[in-house]
Amino acid sequence: MKKQFWTSILGLALATLSLSSNAVSQEVPELTLQQAEQLREQALESTLALDITASLTTEVGARLPGTDADKKAVEWGMAKLQSLGFDKVWKEPVSIPVWLRLHESAEVIAPFPQNLIISALGGSVSTPKNGLEAEIIHFDSIEALESSADGSANNKIVYISKRMEKHSSGRGYGDAGPARFRGAASAAKKGAIGLVIRSIGTDSQRSPHTGVTSYEDGVTKIPAAALSNPDADQLDRILAHNKTTTMRLNIQTEVLPDATTYNVIGEITGSERPDEIVAIGGHLDSWDQGTGAVDDASGIGITVAAAKLIAQQQRPKRTIRVVMFGAEEIGVFGGKQYALDHADELAKHIIGAESDGGAGKVLALSSSVSHESLHVVDEMLKLMAPLGVVRSSAKATGSADFGPMVRAGMPAVGLVQDFTPYFDIHHTPDDTFDKIVPEELAQNVAAWVIFVKLAADWPGRFN
Ligand code: ZN
Ligand code: ZN
């Protein structure tokens, strides 16, 4: 009885102690705020993110998952993190399918014969060796296709003409994207033998936008491609003549045996809570036609530079982990594998964020954190205000690669970028280094150092 009494008194005292230390720990330390402000100014002057982005896009170039270039990218990532002095650098295997683009061409046969510029969608199967020739059936949207009668597209090539609208929020991608994401399966269900879509992009260059398309089990896999936007305009004008329009489509692709790529990981070990992780990163792979400068070498450059600048100033209290995810483009293979590999340390992931929105300025900060920790996000916003960053009411999703971790419960923020320029070149041969505006890339790093520094040094939890 007596022992129980003293135990409960002790328990009460400990509880009070931890309550009060919790209450104290809720404030962001003044020194952390000052250091974050200094980091912001340093980041605006630093070319480190730009240098890293130039290094990846120049020394490796395009890096389609499973190719030799992808292997080179993994080696590049390991070497880059080591040369920057990260405390731990390692890689984790990710099993992936390997898809290669060999040939793509399209031509209108009738009524007005002419060539059109296309890009095969990622994962597309091949046409017969000499291509296939069929009548075009036109739908304004994927919804129109999906609500058409069974057999509506029998033995035809489906053409979806929906135009992606340009918004700084990038919301047009959500509206137009499904034509690419699931168009091939939807067209096949209506009996089609091929799919062409207007590019999911906002430019008017003859530079079609690729990107992955998904097939469905039990549904015939049909070849699928995107027309460049001017070529889609041209096809629209041809179709407006209301004459039977036929097209020849020749897509040759190859699927190799499954291969292994890697998530490349680097850590700056925390000084006080090394087991607790602030997880950031981007994806290392890219499509095959450009050099993946804005998608997503920039995200790699931004997050690696942010971690490095913070470490240079003072060792963070928590560990900063930078993940260069593998094989995002062909189906978020690295992100899904990371969530599986690190499921047992989910609770150690204090917060996370991915940079995968190009190189445009950060416009807003979204979050997915507890109500009790929102004041830390407020402090981040105060420090980001001079950068033009405002609060976003949207929930942070962790972007594609940290999405599985966030859905499992990891808190997150989102540094929401200006998508206005992004979807002009996204997934095209024009995604090259020259499109990056150095000042805008530096502004990203300036916003990221604030988020990462506060998250690493504030002693509380975000959930
Ligand atoms: Zn991306
Ligand atoms: Zn992409």
Side-chain angles (χ1 to χ4, degrees), residues 283 294-296 328-329 356-357 422 426-427:
H283 65 84
V294 306
D295 187 14
D296 183 29
E328 189 273 346
E329 294 292 6
D356 186 18
Y422 185 62
H426 179 247
H427 295 180

Side-chain angles (χ1 to χ4, degrees), residues 181-458:
F181 309 151
R182 61 172 199 265
S186 295
K189 285 181 193 167
K190 301 296 180 184
I193 56 171
L195 171 77
V196 290
I197 61 169
R198 184 186 179 92
S199 274
I200 311 303
T202 50
D203 60 301
S204 57
Q205 309 300 311
R206 286 191 94 177
S207 191
H209 298 239
T210 192
V212 81
T213 193
S214 305
Y215 294 114
E216 273 180 38
D217 289 342
V219 177
T220 308
K221 296 179 177 182
I222 61 170
L227 287 163
S228 85
N229 287 327
D231 288 270
D233 292 340
Q234 179 78 332
L235 185 57
D236 290 346
R237 281 189 294 270
I238 293 171
L239 288 164
H241 284 258
N242 287 319
K243 294 180 172 155
T244 300
T245 304
T246 53
M247 175 184 265
R248 182 178 298 128
L249 192 61
N250 191 343
I251 294 172
Q252 301 303 322
T253 62
E254 191 176 3
V255 175
L256 301 180
D258 281 4
T260 300
T261 189
Y262 296 89
N263 289 329
V264 177
I265 303 176
E267 279 187 354
I268 309 284
T269 309
S271 60
E272 290 182 16
R273 285 177 293 280
D275 283 350
E276 296 184 359
I277 299 157
V278 175
I280 60 175
H283 65 84
L284 191 53
D285 64 309
S286 78
W287 283 107
D288 48 341
Q289 293 165 314
T291 61
V294 306
D295 187 14
D296 183 29
S298 295
I300 298 286
I302 290 163
T303 52
V304 172
K308 172 67 181 173
L309 289 175
I310 291 170
Q312 257 175 0
Q313 184 190 50
Q314 188 187 52
R315 184 169 287 280
K317 293 186 168 59
R318 288 182 167 122
T319 291
I320 299 172
R321 179 180 288 180
V322 182
V323 187
M324 299 179 178
F325 290 97
E328 189 273 346
E329 294 292 6
I330 58 169
V332 198
F333 284 86
K336 290 173 189 163
Q337 190 64 49
Y338 182 89
L340 289 174
D341 292 347
H342 298 275
D344 62 341
E345 54 170 26
L346 176 63
K348 294 179 183 171
H349 284 72
I350 297 300
I351 196 165
E354 182 178 29
S355 174
D356 186 18
K361 281 174 79 169
V362 177
L363 299 180
L365 182 68
S366 63
S367 62
S368 181
V369 302
S370 68
H371 186 72
E372 292 69 31
S373 61
L374 261 182
H375 67 98
V376 184
V377 177
D378 293 341
E379 295 290 353
M380 292 174 191
L381 279 162
K382 273 187 223 162
L383 287 167
M384 290 183 195
L387 303 171
V389 179
V390 300
R391 181 189 301 278
S392 161
S393 58
K395 275 250 174 241
T397 62
S399 200
D401 289 302
F402 278 127
M405 289 292 283
V406 172
R407 290 192 286 279
M410 180 177 78
V413 299
L415 290 101
V416 185
Q417 288 163 279
D418 180 4
F419 284 108
T420 314
Y422 185 62
F423 285 108
D424 284 349
I425 59 168
H426 179 247
H427 295 180
T428 75
D430 284 323
D431 180 1
T432 48
F433 182 75
D434 53 291
K435 308 305 185 303
I436 295 169
V437 179
E439 295 76 20
E440 294 186 355
L441 195 72
Q443 186 263 11
N444 273 267
V445 184
W448 276 81
V449 289
I450 292 166
F451 151 57
V452 178
K453 175 69 180 171
L454 266 59
D457 284 10
W458 175 61

Side-chain angles (χ1 to χ4, degrees), residues 154-169:
N154 265 348
N155 297 315
K156 293 180 178 163
I157 295 171
V158 162
Y159 166 53
I160 302 175
S161 62
K162 189 177 174 82
R163 182 183 295 266
M164 178 179 170
E165 286 179 32
K166 197 168 196 159
H167 296 287
S168 61
S169 70

